[in-house]
Amino acid sequence: MGQKGYQSPAKKVLSWIRKKSKKVKIFLGLITAIVLLVTLKLVVHDHNLFFVIAEAIHLIGLLVLIYKLTTLKTCSGLSLKTQVLTAIFLAVRLYCSFIMEADIHTVLDFITLVATVWVIYMMKFKLKASYMAELDNMPLYYPIVPAAALAFFVHPTTSHILINRMLWAFCVYLESVSVLPQLRLMQNVQIIEPFSAHYVFALGVARFLGCAHWIIQVYDTAGAYIYLAGRGYFWIPTVFLAEMVQTFILADFCYYYVKSVMSGQLIVRLPTPV
């Protein structure tokens, strides 16, 4: 009887936040992000690990999708266009990584690309009947053309040939907006089942880690890293901006995801667009 009406501390905090205005929620979100950034800076000394962990989390998100596709036999709620964009930037990044670096990033990109291509195959051929084509309605050229145009003008200045430098910039810019079709589809549906939600949340965490790397690097160099010599005057600032864009694009969904999880709900419900 004493447990009746009991709320856990997490639910009490969530209930308190829910009652606050949008400005207060944004402020609390920023404070939370700053606390996480400080924690990461103190705990992780090799900041390049952020990218490795981010790529690993992206792969885990894809494994969640693969589990859904193989067990539930449906691709409902998934954007084929986001998967295509993901395969494009991964293929380009894999090529550039092999030419320029050939390290652990290359291995992770290869595994992630194979998993992404498998997801595309399943959605396009095996589970085509459950694909929400009419709701996955963002044209592919919306993200591809601006990314290609920006890469033509803003790319790193290194010893590699020009086309490789432009391709590297293209994959960075395309990655920053590749999730837009998925978010557009989810906004059209408004109710997102667990596996798709887990996948998008994994993308959000991965993007936050990538963004954390750049923010900490800028902080450690007192801003000098933004205009790192030998990289092109606009390259680092543009990459930094692209990482910020990715993070903010996914931040809103991550808020509703955490809200649903803390409320004990398996399904994420997005608000109706005004």
Side-chain angles (χ1 to χ4, degrees):
M1 293 296 292
Q3 295 296 320
K4 188 175 181 180
Y6 171 77
Q7 279 190 321
S8 67
K11 287 187 177 181
K12 288 181 179 179
V13 171
L14 182 63
S15 178
W16 179 78
I17 294 174
R18 191 183 295 120
K19 296 175 182 178
K20 300 301 177 182
S21 66
K22 187 174 182 180
K23 289 183 179 179
V24 173
K25 290 177 182 177
I26 293 174
F27 174 75
L28 292 173
L30 290 174
I31 293 298
T32 303
I34 291 171
V35 171
L36 289 173
L37 284 172
V38 173
T39 303
L40 287 172
K41 175 174 170 52
L42 295 175
V43 173
V44 182
H45 300 292
D46 183 0
H47 299 154
N48 287 321
L49 284 176
F50 290 151
F51 286 127
V52 176
I53 297 171
E55 290 166 359
I57 291 174
H58 183 185
L59 178 58
I60 291 172
L62 279 170
L63 293 178
V64 170
L65 285 190
I66 290 174
Y67 177 81
K68 170 186 175 175
L69 298 180
T70 53
T71 58
L72 301 183
K73 304 298 182 182
T74 177
C75 62
S76 175
L78 294 179
S79 168
L80 177 60
K81 292 179 179 179
T82 279
Q83 297 306 315
V84 170
L85 293 174
T86 300
I88 292 173
F89 82 70
L90 281 172
V92 174
R93 191 166 72 187
L94 180 63
Y95 164 77
C96 293
S97 180
F98 183 77
I99 296 296
M100 300 178 178
E101 297 173 335
D103 53 13
I104 184 63
H105 300 283
T106 310
V107 176
L108 287 172
D109 280 343
F110 175 76
I111 298 173
T112 307
L113 176 60
V114 171
T116 302
V117 171
W118 187 88
V119 169
I120 292 173
Y121 169 77
M122 292 295 290
M123 292 181 68
K124 199 168 181 62
F125 299 103
K126 297 293 184 179
L127 304 174
K128 187 176 181 180
S130 60
Y131 169 51
M132 298 176 171
E134 68 283 358
L135 298 178
D136 192 13
N137 52 16
M138 177 177 286
L140 282 174
Y141 64 83
Y142 275 20
I144 291 177
V145 172
L150 186 58
F152 181 81
F153 293 104
V154 183
H155 46 264
T157 303
T158 64
S159 59
H160 303 93
I161 62 174
L162 178 60
I163 186 62
N164 287 343
R165 289 184 277 134
M166 292 172 62
L167 285 173
W168 182 261
F170 171 70
C171 72
V172 170
Y173 301 146
L174 185 61
E175 181 182 14
S176 69
V177 291
S178 61
V179 75
L180 285 178
Q182 179 66 55
L183 294 179
R184 175 72 171 272
L185 185 149
M186 292 192 306
Q187 195 64 59
N188 289 335
V189 176
Q190 294 187 349
I191 299 178
I192 300 94
E193 52 78 34
F195 292 107
S196 298
H198 297 334
Y199 165 69
V200 178
F201 180 72
L203 292 182
V205 173
R207 295 284 50 81
F208 176 78
L209 289 172
C211 187
H213 169 269
W214 292 100
I215 293 174
I216 292 174
Q217 290 281 48
V218 170
Y219 174 81
D220 285 346
T221 59
Y225 190 79
I226 294 180
Y227 299 110
L228 186 65
R231 286 288 181 177
Y233 194 76
F234 294 107
W235 166 242
I236 297 296
T238 308
V239 172
F240 180 72
L241 180 61
E243 291 286 350
M244 294 291 289
V245 167
Q246 293 180 76
T247 303
F248 280 110
I249 283 175
L250 287 161
D252 188 58
F253 171 81
C254 289
Y255 164 75
Y256 288 105
Y257 176 88
V258 172
K259 177 181 174 181
S260 297
V261 170
M262 293 181 68
S263 299
Q265 300 175 9
L266 295 178
I267 295 176
V268 178
R269 298 177 185 274
L270 299 180
T272 303
V274 180

